[in-house]
Amino acid sequence: MEFNFKQFEQMFNVDTAVDQAEKAVASVLTYLPQAEIKETLLTLNAANANFARANLVAAKSFGKAFQTVAEEAQKNIKKTVNAK
């Protein structure tokens, strides 16, 4: 079975999952009684969500770069085989 990132994205939207997780944690943290701790944890929650988003962008760009290299390699192999 060939891995197709576009099919994976359609089945499971990772960006939406990160947003939902961030909102869920933030809603739970609002019940903390101590304002300083609550603010610190909310900041950490936002930072973790932003880090996850940045990793998603990096993974997508890495996947595109890998796909481009694989396609070029496949073209070169086909040229080599057809030249013989």
Side-chain angles (χ1 to χ4, degrees):
M1 182 174 150
E2 186 176 318
F3 180 76
N4 188 339
F5 193 74
K6 288 182 183 180
Q7 288 176 343
F8 179 74
E9 279 184 324
Q10 290 172 352
M11 291 186 308
F12 181 70
N13 189 342
V14 182
D15 296 320
T16 304
V18 170
D19 292 339
Q20 290 174 344
E22 180 184 20
K23 288 177 185 176
V25 171
S27 67
V28 169
L29 292 177
T30 59
Y31 293 108
L32 288 174
Q34 295 175 334
E36 295 153 351
I37 293 174
K38 179 177 18 178
E39 186 174 334
T40 301
L41 292 177
L42 286 170
T43 303
L44 284 172
N45 180 44
N48 283 330
N50 289 334
F51 183 68
R53 287 184 193 100
N55 280 324
L56 289 172
V57 170
K60 288 178 183 178
S61 65
F62 179 76
K64 287 178 185 177
F66 183 77
Q67 182 178 4
T68 303
V69 169
E71 288 171 355
E72 288 296 319
Q74 188 176 16
K75 287 178 188 176
N76 291 337
I77 290 171
K78 285 182 181 179
K79 283 182 187 178
T80 304
V81 169
N82 291 336
K84 289 184 179 182

